[in-house]
Amino acid sequence: MIESKKFSPSTEELADQVREVGYCLIENIIPEDKIELIKTEISDAAHAHSSDYAAENITHLSGTINYAQSFAEYIAHPRILALVETFFGPYSRISSTTTTINEPGNKRGMWHSDWPFNQRNAGHIPVPYPDMMVHITSIWMLSTFTKDNGGTLIRPKSH
């Protein structure tokens, strides 16, 4: 019997996808048996220390790593770091860990760019943007994203 294996794209294939459409999907970084523990720890920390300025029905926590460390080994996973180093070399760094929990009743937010491109943030890069990569954002889906529950929308090739 031949055992089927899940396709796991190479670092170069992932980098090509980022160059082409602006994002890629790296699956199975966090083992399935760890997801609930991580999700619970992050949720508990976010609810205990949520920012007062978060929008209605959103629980927001900046600096999540200061309150929960169970996910730390995964944000520095070798597959992720290899991809980041493709663009930034060996001196890249993880600069921020933020949790956003869309609570029941939350309405979908408006289209926006993340830092440093969001012109509403004080520390943004002014337009016109340089023709170079300066930042990578990662989204960790600890709950199933569906059309019905309002998963993150990405506009391909908007990078």
Side-chain angles (χ1 to χ4, degrees), residues 130-144:
D131 189 17
M132 60 186 281
M133 187 177 293
V134 296
H135 179 75
I136 293 177
T137 297
S138 65
I139 299 171
W140 294 77
M141 297 176 244
L142 298 177
S143 298
T144 303

Side-chain angles (χ1 to χ4, degrees), residues 30-45 68 70-71 74 141-144:
I30 302 174
E32 278 193 48
D33 65 334
K34 302 287 185 191
I35 292 173
E36 280 305 314
L37 168 78
I38 292 169
K39 189 169 135 180
T40 298
E41 184 186 33
I42 289 173
S43 177
D44 290 351
S70 59
F71 66 97
Y74 306 111
M141 297 176 244
L142 298 177
S143 298
T144 303

Side-chain angles (χ1 to χ4, degrees), residues 29-158:
I29 295 294
I30 302 174
E32 278 193 48
D33 65 334
K34 302 287 185 191
I35 292 173
E36 280 305 314
L37 168 78
I38 292 169
K39 189 169 135 180
T40 298
E41 184 186 33
I42 289 173
S43 177
D44 290 351
H47 286 98
H49 304 283
S50 183
S51 304
D52 291 336
Y53 63 86
E56 184 179 359
N57 295 323
I58 291 180
T59 300
H60 177 87
L61 177 62
S62 295
T64 304
I65 197 76
N66 296 320
Y67 305 98
Q69 287 82 43
S70 59
F71 66 97
E73 69 182 286
Y74 306 111
I75 61 174
H77 189 279
R79 290 195 67 214
I80 295 170
L81 292 182
L83 178 62
V84 170
E85 287 177 5
T86 298
F87 297 106
F88 296 116
Y91 303 106
S92 57
R93 69 182 315 144
I94 298 165
S95 62
S96 177
T97 55
T98 302
T99 297
T100 300
I101 301 172
N102 292 311
E103 303 290 354
N106 178 7
K107 293 183 172 43
R108 181 171 296 285
M110 60 184 218
W111 282 102
H112 69 278
S113 297
D114 285 337
W115 181 93
F117 306 106
N118 187 333
Q119 298 299 297
R120 295 177 181 201
N121 291 348
H124 67 273
I125 295 174
V127 292
Y129 301 128
D131 189 17
M132 60 186 281
M133 187 177 293
V134 296
H135 179 75
I136 293 177
T137 297
S138 65
I139 299 171
W140 294 77
M141 297 176 244
L142 298 177
S143 298
T144 303
F145 282 25
T146 68
K147 182 179 176 181
D148 295 331
N149 75 5
T152 296
L153 298 175
I154 298 172
R155 188 172 301 225
K157 298 188 179 187
S158 65

